[in-house]
Amino acid sequence: MKIKFCGIRRLEDVAYCNDLQPDYLGMILSEGFRRTVPIETAAKLAAARRGRTALVGVFVDETPEHIAQVLKQVPLDVIQLHGSETAEIVSGVRWRTGLPIWKAVRVQSPEEIAAAQQLGADRLILEGHVPGQAGGTGVTADWNLIAGARPSQSFLLAGGLTPENVAEAVSLVQPDGVDFSSGIETDGVKDYEKMKQIVTIIRGGYHG
C-alpha cells in the first residue's frame, strides 16, 4: 500500500517526510491554489528531500511545454495532472518529460472512471468531487461508487482521508495507495503526528 503526502509547502514538511519516508511527496506547481508552491521554492524543497521518497509535481491544465520547463528547475519523479487534461495532453507530457503520468479524477460516476482509464495515464488518483475545485478540499470520495466500479488500472484513493477513516476506506475500496493532504493538516499546515499515525496504520508500525 503506497502512501502519498501531498500539498507539501515548507521545509518543515519535507523534514517530516524525510523522517517518515512516505512513498511519494507531492507539491502543487500550478498557480492559484492555496497550497501552490512557487517554482523557486519547489526547487529548494526538492533539494532538501532525503531517502527513497519520490517527488510528484501536481499540475492543473498546463501545457506539456510548461511542465517540461518546470522540470529543468525541479527534479520531479512523477507528473500528476489534476485538471481536465485529454489523452493528447497525457501523451504530450509523457513525450516531453519521459516520466510516469498520473491523472486525477473527481469521481461522480463509474463512467468517469472508465473514461479516465482510456487517457493513457500510468496511474489514476480517484477523489471526491467539489464543483469548481481541483482538489485538496477534504471532501471524501464516494467509496462505494469506486469499489463498485472496480477500476482495472492502478489507482490511489484521495479526498478527505484522515487517520480516523483511512483503514475503513482501504478495506472497502482496495486501492493501490492512499493520498493525503488536508487530512494530515492542523490549522492549514502539515501535522507531523497525523502523518506519523498514517504511516503506522498503513505499514503496521513506524519504520522511520
Side-chain angles (χ1 to χ4, degrees), residues 11-80:
L11 285 171
E12 294 94 327
D13 302 340
V14 177
Y16 298 163
C17 290
N18 287 343
D19 186 42
L20 297 170
Q21 289 292 295
D23 298 282
Y24 303 102
L25 179 166
M27 297 189 297
I28 314 302
L29 300 180
S30 286
E31 295 182 1
F33 302 94
R34 184 171 73 80
R35 299 181 183 88
T36 294
V37 179
I39 300 306
E40 295 77 12
T41 302
K44 294 176 183 177
L45 297 179
R49 178 184 44 155
R50 301 289 180 268
R52 64 183 181 274
T53 301
L55 188 59
V56 181
V58 181
F59 297 89
V60 181
D61 294 321
E62 304 283 10
T63 65
E65 293 77 12
H66 172 78
I67 294 171
Q69 285 297 316
V70 171
L71 262 178
K72 293 180 179 179
Q73 295 176 264
V74 186
L76 301 173
D77 300 299
V78 178
I79 304 296
Q80 179 176 323

Side-chain angles (χ1 to χ4, degrees), residues 127-147:
E127 65 176 10
H129 174 81
V130 177
Q133 298 292 319
T137 61
V139 172
T140 305
D142 188 332
W143 299 342
N144 288 304
L145 187 159
I146 296 171

